[in-house]
Amino acid sequence: MVVGDVLQLIQSAAAALQRREPAAARRALRQALALDPGRGDGWSIIGVAAIGSGDAVGALAPFRRSLCSAPGNPAYARNLAACLKRLGRAEEAAAVLHRAALAGALAPDLLCDLADLRLGSGDASAALPLYRAALLLAPDHGRSLNNLAETLRRLAMPAAATELTRLARLRGMAPAWAAAGAELVEAGRIEEAQPALCRALALDPADPASWSNLGFAHLQRHRAEASVAAFAHARRLDPALAEAPVGQGSALMLMGRLREGAALYEERLRLPLFQPPRRFDRPDWDGSIRPGATLLIHADRGIGDAIQFIRYAPILRAQGMRVLFCGQENLLGLLRSSRIVDAAFGYDDELPPYDMHAHVMSLVHRMGTGLDSIPADIPYLHASQAAKALWAGRAAGLEGLRIGIVWAGSVHFRYDRVRSPRLEPLLPLFGIPGTTAVVLQFGQGRDDMAKFPLPAGTVDWGCSLQGMDNTAAALGELDVVISSCTFMAHLAGALGRPVSVLLHAGSEWRWLRGLEESPWYPTARLYRQTAPGDWSGPVERLRADLAALAERRIALAGN
């Protein structure tokens, strides 16, 4: 046997594969392996050729032979594991990689592959040390950094952003700083996120994801102009990055440039997060008014979104279109009692024929809304007579100004920890002279009451609120509703009830910036944080306003 002849044959086979001549490659490999059956590279190339021709089953045996020839070769182990995974045998793939690691194949790609398989099977705790080990071997291993961040998020570890920042400081590489910056933005730690992302971009100014994340960091502090510039740069670097136009659109709308921003915001429909839970078999509505045609408006995300933007339905109906709604089950009764649409259906219901469809949030763009043309005729929602009868007189015995209070939104909303003050910062709003506080909080936020007992005289309606129609009737019995950016604020505004909205420093575009009023809800008054994370300022301003309103009520009653 001549070693040079074997090597030449294997090189010839590899070249034939590159030329897409699998038959010639196989002939050369058969000759090489006849001379030296223990050549792992030869068996590996046979396996790669089989994969290339779509024969994953046929690739298994040669991949196994290649690994047997060199159990510590990470490339051979990864090939076999990838083939097993392709065949749906993920557990066997993980076992192959685990044995290879024990045999000394401690390569970052192999450890990351094994960690990915553990994470994919739902075992984030097993994936975590593997990603960390990969990063010990290769501090700049971008895939391990990104997937480590995802693992920490799944484990809901509060130290995720801190750990990634520590890794970035240790390694000093652009991907490490980019991963840390992205996680810091996700955690709402904007003052730390911005320098991390700037460090990443100083090392790699051509990274579109870091430019986009820098845009989101600016957006969270209402630095809209800087945000627009960062997103625009990200889009120039990667026109296919859907997050960038979505963020840029949000920043433009925050500035009041609704038409321009809403058009870009439509790119959200390319993102997995915004895919509806069911398919619609008719065309997307292009915004053209077609009298006699039926438009299906669907909403699958926040109830607040549906409440805010269903206001367009009566406008479309007045122009001769038939409007159907498909969305959240607990909203259907209120929409039907309000007669705002022709018919309303749940997401699992069979739908009647319709001509086109649109997501409820797309109506801002499709209707060409500008800051000067926001439809704000209120109320456009109305509780049913049955619900009103149920709540009639419920508040008759409550003294003074009747204030309904909500302190937490849905925990499924990823920024709820930032936008919701929770109960403790709102305690000064309870027990104001001349008022009665009414708890409207339901769900997990009610746990706060066990930690912070409320003053005597507080009334609790939270457990009695069942569905939007029932809740709408309850709000009709109150003088003021207080809420953070939750559906309750939108519901009160759509019902034309006075509502005080507590907004965090990075509040959404729909509330614009710097305003104390909302063009969407004429009865709303906005109380904004001036320091991120500090609710004391807006709560104190709101408390003073409520106390003054209560005093005026008392004075009027005495005259």
Side-chain angles (χ1 to χ4, degrees):
M1 177 185 71
V2 181
V3 174
D5 292 342
V6 173
L7 181 59
Q8 186 175 7
L9 286 166
I10 288 175
Q11 290 173 342
S12 174
L17 278 181
Q18 290 180 344
R19 297 193 303 270
R20 299 190 178 184
E21 297 175 3
R26 283 193 292 270
R27 284 195 300 272
L29 288 168
R30 279 197 295 269
Q31 295 176 49
L33 292 170
L35 294 170
D36 185 2
R39 290 291 304 218
D41 49 358
W43 290 112
S44 180
I45 293 173
I46 289 178
V48 170
I51 289 288
S53 64
D55 183 12
V57 173
L60 280 176
F63 279 148
R64 290 189 193 280
R65 290 288 297 268
S66 70
L67 185 57
C68 284
S69 72
N73 188 313
Y76 297 163
R78 292 183 70 219
N79 283 341
L80 176 56
C83 185
L84 288 164
K85 184 181 177 184
R86 183 182 293 232
L87 294 168
R89 295 156 65 176
E91 280 303 314
E92 291 179 64
V96 166
L97 295 173
H98 182 72
R99 286 194 298 270
L102 292 177
L106 295 175
D109 282 329
L110 183 143
L111 292 173
C112 188
D113 288 348
L114 180 55
D116 288 348
L117 287 167
R118 297 301 188 207
L119 188 62
S121 68
D123 192 355
S125 297
L128 192 61
L130 292 166
Y131 287 128
R132 286 174 172 158
L135 288 167
L136 285 173
L137 295 172
D140 197 24
H141 199 257
R143 185 160 59 98
S144 292
L145 280 165
N146 291 336
N147 295 352
L148 173 63
E150 173 61 25
T151 305
L152 291 167
R153 275 194 289 270
R154 291 197 192 184
L155 291 170
M157 294 179 65
T162 301
E163 181 157 352
L164 286 172
T165 303
R166 182 184 62 81
L167 286 170
R169 290 195 181 110
L170 285 172
R171 288 154 176 78
M173 305 292 189
W177 282 110
E183 184 62 26
L184 287 163
V185 171
E186 184 74 19
R189 293 162 58 178
I190 305 304
E191 280 63 39
E192 299 169 78
Q194 185 176 349
L197 292 166
C198 288
R199 185 74 176 270
L201 289 168
L203 296 166
D204 181 9
D207 178 18
S210 288
W211 280 108
S212 182
N213 283 323
L214 182 60
F216 283 112
H218 286 309
L219 188 59
Q220 282 294 305
R221 290 296 176 262
H222 282 192
R223 298 186 290 263
E225 291 79 6
S227 179
V228 167
F231 286 125
H233 200 85
R235 294 178 66 198
R236 285 192 292 271
L237 291 168
D238 183 3
L241 185 65
E243 290 86 349
V246 173
Q248 188 175 7
S250 298
L252 288 167
M253 289 190 288
L254 182 68
M255 297 164 65
R257 294 160 62 178
L258 288 187
R259 290 189 183 89
E260 185 182 356
L264 286 171
Y265 194 64
E266 286 297 283
E267 292 295 311
R268 75 190 186 284
L269 300 176
R270 292 168 46 201
L271 297 171
L273 182 66
F274 289 90
Q275 296 306 304
R278 67 182 289 175
R279 295 183 62 84
F280 299 98
D281 58 3
R282 306 304 299 158
D284 289 336
W285 182 49
D286 63 3
S288 301
I289 301 299
R290 293 171 52 188
T294 298
L295 171 66
L296 175 70
I297 296 173
H298 52 93
D300 58 277
R301 291 175 56 75
I303 289 177
D305 295 337
I307 291 172
Q308 181 173 4
F309 300 116
I310 199 63
R311 69 181 66 216
Y312 289 96
I315 300 172
L316 294 167
R317 295 175 74 197
Q319 296 180 78
M321 295 183 70
R322 186 165 182 264
V323 178
L324 309 179
F325 176 84
C326 176
Q328 298 91 338
E329 198 73 35
N330 63 354
L331 192 54
L332 303 183
L334 178 60
L335 296 185
R336 289 166 182 158
S337 67
S338 301
R339 299 182 179 178
I340 196 169
V341 293
D342 290 282
F345 304 89
Y347 250 96
D348 296 327
D349 293 343
E350 183 177 350
L351 298 174
Y354 58 95
D355 299 300
M356 53 259 181
H357 71 94
H359 193 282
V360 69
M361 290 188 72
S362 294
L363 296 177
V364 179
H365 171 56
R366 298 286 182 249
M367 297 293 285
T369 304
L371 194 58
D372 58 348
S373 61
I374 291 175
D377 293 334
I378 59 167
Y380 55 87
L381 295 182
H382 309 272
S384 68
Q385 291 302 318
K388 288 179 180 178
L390 182 66
W391 282 92
R394 187 81 66 98
L398 304 185
E399 297 181 357
L401 195 70
R402 296 165 296 193
I403 304 170
I405 304 179
V406 178
W407 54 81
S410 171
V411 294
H412 300 297
F413 183 77
R414 59 180 179 169
Y415 293 129
D416 191 63
R417 63 184 180 277
V418 176
R419 69 170 182 172
S420 289
R422 305 298 298 209
L423 174 57
E424 185 179 14
L426 271 56
L427 290 175
L429 303 178
F430 293 81
I432 300 173
T435 71
T436 295
V438 178
V439 171
L440 300 176
Q441 184 64 51
F442 60 92
Q444 289 182 316
R446 290 181 61 81
D447 297 345
D448 289 5
M449 289 190 290
K451 294 179 281 186
F452 305 102
L454 296 175
T458 301
V459 176
D460 185 0
W461 287 358
C463 292
S464 302
L465 303 177
Q466 305 293 328
M468 292 300 111
D469 187 26
N470 179 284
T471 303
L475 298 191
E477 297 295 307
L478 301 173
D479 296 307
V480 181
V481 175
I482 297 168
S483 176
S484 56
C485 180
T486 71
F487 83 83
M488 199 72 81
H490 293 285
L491 181 59
L495 293 165
R497 305 301 302 160
V499 55
S500 299
V501 187
L502 292 161
L503 297 176
H504 70 284
S507 56
E508 290 183 303
W509 61 264
R510 69 188 79 212
W511 304 110
L512 301 169
R513 60 176 178 174
L515 300 181
E516 294 184 353
E517 298 81 27
S518 168
W520 296 95
Y521 300 116
T523 60
R525 187 165 180 82
L526 312 181
Y527 294 83
R528 301 175 182 274
Q529 285 182 343
T530 54
D534 181 6
W535 290 102
S536 62
V539 168
E540 182 52 41
R541 293 193 297 273
L542 176 53
R543 187 185 188 284
D545 287 348
L546 292 172
L549 180 58
E551 288 178 6
R552 288 197 296 272
R553 287 283 187 95
I554 294 170
L556 287 172
N559 291 335

